[in-house]
Amino acid sequence: ETGVTQTPRHLVMGMTNKKSLKCEQHLGHNAMYWYKQSAKKPLELMFVYNFKEQTENNSVPSRFSPECPNSSHLFLHLHTLQPEDSALYLCASSQDKGGYTFGSGTRLTVV
Amino acid sequence: SQQGEEDPQALSIQEGENATMNCSYKTSINNLQWYRQNSGRGLVHLILIRSNEREKHSGRLRVTLDTSKKSSSLLITASRAADTASYFCATAHGGTSYGKLTFGQGTILTVHP
């Protein structure tokens, strides 16, 4: 365990489903991030929350909706996804500009 | 523009040899970080070097940073089969209080026993 916990580890969903990814950290970090990792592409930053306020939305389609109820929890709500959204979704946290602590990721498959 | 581009894309060596990976970036940075990833799992932070530092060590890892050339290198000495993984560099920039790292595509390192 790294201190950042992501659930579920694997998720298969249809294009009409609604699901949520959960991320939790108890490291006392003030920033949390969602990244998408697709095959043969660099990690793509999706959203940044700093002190539970969204500070970055990297032109992510509205079918991805983040939520940060407090500085320890981060969600990614998914609805009407496309097959090309299949990827590894990684959550991370950091204290200011320090090193990130990543979760193990959620492997998402959209069918 | 793409930041943190690693070179080579893949590296295959024998156990005991040294492995060197390079990273180039385009704009000024606050710090540069190296991460390791095993088989599609989460990334593990290895080392952070600040823009005013030139070299940093951690165990068998040595990182150098040349801000004039906008490049960094990661050296793993006396490699082991367990070092087999993908290695990523990531750059953090000024202007924000939080990290907002930009990652490269990574180097796939294979260490043969």
Side-chain angles (χ1 to χ4, degrees):
Chain A
E1 281 298 332
T2 63
V4 177
T5 304
Q6 285 188 247
T7 54
R9 294 291 299 274
H10 299 273
L11 178 63
V12 179
M13 61 185 289
M15 289 189 282
T16 58
N17 290 161
K18 289 184 179 181
K19 296 285 185 184
S20 296
L21 310 185
K22 180 182 176 182
C23 177
E24 186 173 351
Q25 63 96 2
H26 294 288
L27 300 169
H29 288 170
N30 57 9
M32 296 186 76
Y33 313 83
W34 280 116
Y35 277 83
K36 175 183 178 181
Q37 187 177 32
S38 305
K40 300 183 180 179
K41 292 174 74 174
L43 271 78
E44 300 172 61
L45 178 65
M46 299 177 72
F47 301 104
V48 180
Y49 278 81
N50 191 38
F51 291 105
K52 77 177 184 178
E53 298 296 323
Q54 186 182 131
T55 52
E56 301 277 343
N57 175 340
N58 204 26
S59 301
V60 180
S62 60
R63 57 186 184 270
F64 295 92
S65 174
E67 179 190 2
C68 188
N70 55 61
S71 57
S72 299
H73 294 84
L74 185 63
F75 295 89
L76 188 62
H77 303 300
L78 316 172
H79 63 97
T80 59
L81 294 192
Q82 305 299 310
E84 59 265 28
D85 296 323
S86 298
L88 181 66
Y89 288 85
L90 292 163
C91 173
S93 68
S94 75
Q95 182 64 29
D96 302 323
K97 283 190 170 69
Y100 282 11
T101 301
F102 278 88
S104 296
T106 295
R107 173 70 62 186
L108 174 67
T109 303
V110 181
V111 296
Chain B
S1 62
Q2 179 84 11
Q3 287 279 74
E5 297 192 20
E6 289 91 343
D7 168 61
Q9 291 188 338
L11 180 61
S12 182
I13 59 174
Q14 294 296 126
E15 210 165 28
E17 295 180 337
N18 295 342
T20 299
M21 289 160 268
N22 303 298
C23 170
S24 60
Y25 57 92
K26 292 188 171 67
T27 60
S28 63
I29 62 172
N30 176 279
N31 67 65
L32 185 144
Q33 304 177 28
W34 285 90
Y35 288 81
R36 164 198 169 121
Q37 183 179 37
N38 287 84
S39 304
R41 301 290 298 272
L43 282 71
V44 175
H45 179 253
L46 296 176
I47 200 163
L48 181 154
I49 186 165
R50 302 187 193 286
S51 59
N52 61 354
E53 297 175 310
R54 292 296 165 258
E55 188 170 314
K56 210 158 181 182
H57 296 255
S58 176
R60 293 184 294 112
L61 306 181
R62 173 179 167 247
V63 168
T64 61
L65 178 65
D66 186 336
T67 52
S68 66
K69 295 181 180 177
K70 292 186 169 61
S71 67
S72 173
S73 67
L74 170 67
L75 168 67
I76 304 175
T77 59
S79 63
R80 306 166 182 167
D83 294 327
T84 295
S86 294
Y87 292 82
F88 297 87
C89 72
T91 49
H93 307 275
T96 63
S97 62
Y98 48 87
K100 194 183 175 185
L101 294 180
T102 303
F103 287 81
Q105 287 197 295
T107 294
I108 300 171
L109 172 66
T110 304
V111 181
H112 300 281

